Amino acid sequence: MKKDINIGLLGLGTVGSGVYRILTRHRDDFRLKVGADLNIKAILERDISKADAVGADRSLVTTDAPSIIGDPDIDIVVEVLGGVEPARTFILQAIESGKHIVTANKELLADHGRDIFEAADAKGVDVYFEASVGGGIPIIHPLKECLASNKIIKVMGIVNGTTNYILTRMAEEGCLFKEALKEAQARGYAERDPSADIEGRDAAAKIAILASIAFNSRVTSPDVYMEGISGVTPEDIMYAGEMGYVIKLVALAKEEKDGLDVRVHPTMIPRDHPLASVRGVYNAIFVEGDAVGEVMFFGPGAGSMPAASAVVGDVLDVARNLQYGRSGKVGCTCFETKKIKTIGEISSGYYLLMNVVDKPGVLAKIAKAFGDNDVSLASVIQKGPRGANAELVFITHLTREKNLRAALKVIEGLDVVNRVCNVIRVENSGD
Ligand code: NDP
Ligand code: HSE
């Protein structure tokens, strides 16, 4: 048994500083749990003053990555730099040097998971990535291990804290989008480039990781249909509220007879649905398995200490593996190759907001376009002041997306329709 297990920490930003704090704060407890001291031997960071903020010795900090990756005394490399490069190169080099890896980098895993897992398998080292999805929520281990007895049917959740924070502030306090985004950045929730959160790329990477594990078939970020929240207006939020819905950025992956349906987009959820009450930076992930039924994982989806909680949990797992001479646990589980459906092939309910000319026969023309394309309406409401124009809000029953798009093409060409303002998918639209 080792007396010391040495860690090379790549990155001392939001998550890295949390990792440093937890490893320092619980050092004695971890010694009891693992039977060795967990030491941060070196830190890769550009800004040496970040060491002061966590009380780390400045001498630990370097900008020389090879000195950490090639150090024979380092057992575990914790990568919390973010982004694909140089993180990918550093991780592959560290694996080549026989280091075990803990990473929070969903972008890297969703796009280059195969290279990393294959390299790790070849070297017999562990790669753990619990913090890559859901921040502090345990979801990777439960899906890979505790729920492995199930055939997974569906994974659906709110997996981006920044957008959930923004949508909650907009819906509950009428906060402006930009203001809410600034707050999320100040709290350390947002990615370095917050467009990754806003446009859905962060959630797409996370659902790609979850879908790959759930359905044993590799799903990468480009496979995921993605829409962000920048098109959601205060008007949509208001109408959704009036009709008993809330708007959330939902990530969904389900297996159907004709393939996998994997997507991220704003979704209207009935107010009594459990995901509707997930507010602020909180995330929640539903998993439906054939044996267990539905289970929900809930907790803080971003932030320094919640993310670091998951990272250090992985470090402890790796450290225990090292102590007891085991390795790998459950490695990559992508044993099959399954078809992924195009967006036209999926089915959903839809909310549509249109600005139209307010005169007799308008509704009939629009309804005909829906009917001709096999789109069944669940409800229609006329909004706005009486006058030359009006706003129409439609909710459809479950509809194949390609039919909805065909109907919209006709509707957009009608002279009585000024504008189709927005289309948002609806969960449980009464089909
Ligand atoms: P930060 O930007 O706060 O931290 C990254 C740190 O690494 C920065 O201090 C950065 O310095 C430093 N760094 C980056 N590249 C280099 C390099 N080549 N050499 C030296 N230093 C470097 O990011 P986070 O801590 O927020 O995120 C880290 C990872 O964790 C990402 O993959 C993210 O997706 C993931 N994650 C983040 C969560 C969160 O709530 N923030 C939650 C869960 C996962 P500099 O600023 O000078 O570039
Ligand atoms: N930017 C991410 C979020 C951090 O807002 O959820 C956690 O991955």
Side-chain angles (χ1 to χ4, degrees):
M1 297 261 277
K2 282 169 168 278
K3 286 212 170 67
D4 291 282
I5 291 178
N6 293 325
I7 296 162
L9 179 61
L10 310 185
L12 195 58
T14 303
V15 181
S17 57
V19 169
Y20 188 92
R21 285 193 172 99
I22 296 178
L23 282 169
T24 316
R25 185 188 296 171
H26 297 313
R27 187 177 169 80
D28 294 343
D29 184 38
F30 294 161
R31 186 184 305 116
L32 294 173
K33 284 185 167 143
V34 175
D37 277 318
L38 298 181
N39 309 312
I40 295 187
K41 181 143 190 276
I43 302 171
L44 181 74
E45 179 57 62
R46 285 191 198 97
D47 179 359
I48 198 165
S49 72
K50 288 187 180 169
D52 306 337
V54 293
D57 195 324
R58 282 187 167 215
S59 67
L60 293 177
V61 179
T62 175
T63 52
D64 179 20
S67 71
I68 299 181
I69 291 160
D71 182 341
D73 290 339
I74 287 182
D75 304 289
I76 305 171
V77 167
V78 174
E79 184 276 311
V80 281
L81 299 168
V84 171
E85 285 297 349
R88 175 178 162 277
T89 303
F90 292 165
I91 287 179
L92 288 171
Q93 287 171 345
I95 289 172
E96 194 48 40
S97 308
K99 319 278 182 230
H100 300 277
I101 306 294
V102 174
T103 176
N105 196 329
K106 81 275 323 200
E107 189 186 352
L108 175 63
L109 291 175
D111 288 349
H112 301 277
R114 187 192 298 271
D115 303 349
I116 288 168
F117 295 120
E118 283 180 0
D121 273 356
K123 267 308 213 184
V125 297
D126 292 338
V127 177
Y128 281 63
F129 50 99
E130 186 58 69
S132 65
V133 182
I137 307 174
I139 179 66
I140 305 290
H141 282 67
L143 205 51
K144 273 196 166 188
E145 294 167 34
C146 321
L147 295 171
S149 55
N150 287 260
K151 178 172 169 49
I152 303 296
I153 297 155
K154 181 173 167 183
V155 179
M156 179 170 96
I158 295 170
V159 293
N160 183 268
T162 301
T163 46
N164 203 48
Y165 183 84
I166 293 172
L167 290 173
T168 306
R169 297 276 283 125
M170 284 173 75
E172 295 182 5
E173 287 147 74
C175 190
L176 294 175
F177 180 94
K178 274 190 181 161
E179 206 179 297
L181 171 60
K182 260 195 196 156
E183 288 174 10
Q185 286 177 294
R187 288 163 182 253
Y189 305 154
E191 294 300 306
R192 174 175 295 250
D193 170 6
S195 72
D197 299 295
I198 305 308
E199 300 309 333
R201 292 197 304 280
D202 177 82
K206 289 169 177 168
I207 198 70
I209 293 170
L210 295 182
S212 300
I213 299 170
F215 305 121
N216 302 319
S217 176
R218 178 142 336 266
V219 178
T220 63
S221 292
D223 297 324
V224 182
Y225 176 80
M226 182 180 83
E227 280 173 29
I229 64 162
S230 52
V232 176
T233 66
E235 212 177 14
D236 297 320
I237 292 174
M238 180 184 75
Y239 288 150
E242 284 179 19
M243 293 184 296
Y245 292 96
V246 293
I247 300 177
K248 298 285 186 188
L249 185 72
V250 169
L252 171 85
K254 55 183 168 178
E255 180 158 16
E256 295 177 334
K257 275 194 269 359
D258 51 347
L260 301 181
D261 175 2
V262 193
R263 49 195 157 100
V264 169
H265 48 68
T267 304
M268 281 177 39
I269 297 175
R271 204 178 280 126
D272 58 0
H273 189 288
L275 284 184
S277 57
V278 177
R279 301 170 57 252
V281 73
Y282 282 88
N283 283 190
I285 301 147
F286 269 105
V287 181
E288 190 182 337
D290 65 342
V292 72
E294 271 195 342
V295 282
M296 178 163 150
F297 300 84
F298 171 83
S304 176
M305 295 304 270
S309 154
V311 170
V312 178
D314 280 351
V315 168
L316 289 167
D317 252 352
V318 175
R320 287 193 193 104
N321 290 348
L322 277 168
Q323 289 297 66
Y324 301 111
R326 37 177 215 227
S327 158
K329 285 190 102 183
V330 186
C332 181
T333 54
C334 294
F335 316 118
E336 298 172 69
T337 303
K338 294 181 180 169
K339 174 188 182 282
I340 298 162
K341 294 209 245 187
T342 64
I343 190 66
E345 293 171 314
I346 69 108
S347 295
S348 175
Y350 296 85
Y351 148 98
L352 301 103
L353 175 63
M354 294 180 204
N355 186 290
V356 301
V357 176
D358 194 7
K359 66 175 188 186
V362 172
L363 196 54
K365 284 187 182 174
I366 297 171
K368 182 172 183 315
F370 280 132
D372 288 349
N373 287 286
D374 232 7
V375 178
S376 166
L377 296 175
S379 71
V380 185
I381 304 169
Q382 178 159 341
K383 293 283 183 186
R386 284 200 61 83
N389 297 319
E391 282 188 331
L392 291 178
V393 180
F394 298 87
I395 302 277
T396 75
H397 284 299
L398 196 66
T399 299
R400 176 113 341 184
E401 178 128 346
K402 69 174 180 224
N403 294 357
L404 185 95
R405 291 185 181 207
L408 274 176
K409 214 168 170 189
V410 177
I411 289 166
E412 278 165 344
L414 293 173
D415 55 356
V416 292
V417 173
N418 299 323
R419 201 159 67 92
V420 176
C421 309
N422 211 350
V423 180
I424 297 177
R425 293 171 192 82
V426 181
E427 180 69 19
N428 297 350
S429 61
D431 24 83

